[in-house]
């Protein structure tokens, strides 16, 4: 039984023969290795074209901003998995990545789609950014959904990573429709919910990347690539200074059983 489209059996990413490996139309050995950096290569792999200097600058900046954030759930999952299965380094990395959903790490993608949708409404309906922002926040509140890209449990006065990324975008002339809409949403929030919320790093990352031309569909890949680097660092430390079972033990200590008792 055929499932899904099967009429375009093609890929434009990579091919090889006995003498060469071709990636996106460039010779891997002759044109890429030793002649480009990994951030540039990542952009090239995803989009099919080399980034401009500004695109590479901001890709570097956002990758640095999101890679490491301490013992967040994805890191804890990876370190505990590695403690239990030290022969499966790849399994521990995978365990960390599998926990990167809409609450942890994946919220940049959610924010990107939300902001991009509002930008599209402005273009399609001819309304102002302010009108689109208010309507968007109202719709989220009506569905009792969080406003993606806003609020932080620790940086309640403003996420320093987000502040820097947005400042860099403005200083370098890279701020466009998506950052403009992000700021419109920030202004709309008090009007709709009655209090301010700071922009967090998952609000800054997608709007900056969209404004410099990164594809919306690949936004989550930014966070996944960055966090993979962090997970490898944590697992290297876990191999030499293990805390996986400490984390496991503290979890057991922190939870009280409240189920039925035996006879």
């Amino acid at each position: 039984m055929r499932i899904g489209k099967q009429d375009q059996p093609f890929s434009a990413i990579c091919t090889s023969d006995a003498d060469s490996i071709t990636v996106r139309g460039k010779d891997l050995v002759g044109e890429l290795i030793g002649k480009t950096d990994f951030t540039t290569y990542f952009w090239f792999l995803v989009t099919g074209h080399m980034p401009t200097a500004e695109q590479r600058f901001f890709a570097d900046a956002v990758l640095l901003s999101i890679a490491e954030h301490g013992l967040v759930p994805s890191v804890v999952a990876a370190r505990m998995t590695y403690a239990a299965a030290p022969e499966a380094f790849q399994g521990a990395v995978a365990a960390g990545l599998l926990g990167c959903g809409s609450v942890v790490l994946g919220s940049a993608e959610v924010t990107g789609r939300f902001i991009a949708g509002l930008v599209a409404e402005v273009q399609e309906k001819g309304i102002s950014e302010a009108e689109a922002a208010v309507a968007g926040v109202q719709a989220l509140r009506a569905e009792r959904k969080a406003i993606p890209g806003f609020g932080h449990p620790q940086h309640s006065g403003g996420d320093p990573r987000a502040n820097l990324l947005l400042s860099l975008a403005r200083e370098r002339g890279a701020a466009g429709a998506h950052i403009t809409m992000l700021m419109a949403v920030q202004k709309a929030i008090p009007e709709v919910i009655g209090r301010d919320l700071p922009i967090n790093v998952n609000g800054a990352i997608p709007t900056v990347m969209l404004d410099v031309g990164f594809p919306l569909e690949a936004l989550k890949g930014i966070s996944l690539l960055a966090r993979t680097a962090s997970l490898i660092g944590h697992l290297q430390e876990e191999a030499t200074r293990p805390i996986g079972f400490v984390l496991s033990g503290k979890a057991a200590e922190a939870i009280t059983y409240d189920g039925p008792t035996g006879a």
Side-chain angles (χ1 to χ4, degrees), residues 41-256:
Y41 188 51
F42 166 64
W43 188 290
F44 178 61
L45 281 170
V46 173
T47 67
H49 61 80
M50 290 292 184
T52 65
E54 283 296 282
Q55 288 172 330
R56 183 180 63 187
F57 175 87
F58 282 104
D60 268 334
V62 300
L63 286 167
L64 282 166
S65 72
I66 200 64
E68 175 55 35
H69 201 52
L71 293 173
V72 292
S74 57
V75 171
V76 172
R79 294 188 75 139
M80 289 173 62
T81 299
Y82 188 68
E87 74 282 358
F89 194 95
Q90 75 282 5
V93 173
L97 293 178
L98 287 171
C100 298
S102 59
V103 175
V104 177
L105 213 66
S107 54
E109 177 191 29
V110 177
T111 305
R113 293 190 181 281
F114 172 60
I115 296 296
L118 297 182
V119 170
E121 285 193 15
V122 169
Q123 297 169 346
E124 293 167 4
K125 298 180 181 179
I127 59 177
S128 69
E129 285 87 356
E131 291 171 322
V134 169
V137 175
Q138 288 175 335
L140 289 173
R141 297 301 286 177
E143 297 178 14
R144 299 184 179 276
K145 292 181 178 179
I147 303 167
F150 291 86
H152 197 284
Q154 185 176 35
H155 304 300
S156 56
D159 188 327
R161 301 164 300 173
N163 294 342
L164 177 58
L165 290 174
L166 294 171
S167 176
L168 287 170
R170 287 189 286 267
E171 289 173 8
R172 298 174 70 96
H178 298 90
I179 291 177
T180 299
M181 182 57 70
L182 183 73
M183 306 311 295
V185 171
Q186 186 180 38
K187 290 180 180 179
I189 287 173
E191 177 182 337
V192 177
I193 73 172
R195 61 188 177 92
D196 292 319
L197 288 176
I199 298 170
N200 60 43
V201 74
N202 285 317
I205 285 175
T207 51
V208 167
M209 292 304 290
L210 289 172
D211 275 349
V212 297
F214 196 75
L216 174 64
E217 297 79 8
L219 273 178
K220 194 170 187 178
I222 291 284
S223 300
L224 292 175
L225 177 63
R227 190 52 56 88
T228 297
S230 171
L231 290 172
I232 292 170
H234 275 276
L235 294 176
Q236 166 60 23
E237 184 181 67
E238 185 65 28
T240 57
R241 301 178 64 194
I243 61 171
F245 285 120
V246 175
L247 296 170
S248 177
K250 290 297 182 181
E253 290 176 10
I255 304 301
T256 301

Side-chain angles (χ1 to χ4, degrees), residues 14-49:
C14 180
T15 188
S16 62
D17 57 31
D19 302 310
S20 66
I21 301 169
T22 301
V23 178
R24 289 286 196 179
K26 291 185 179 293
D27 183 86
L28 178 64
V29 175
E31 297 179 89
L32 296 171
I33 296 175
K35 297 179 180 179
T36 190
D37 59 272
F38 185 74
T39 301
T40 296
Y41 188 51
F42 166 64
W43 188 290
F44 178 61
L45 281 170
V46 173
T47 67
H49 61 80

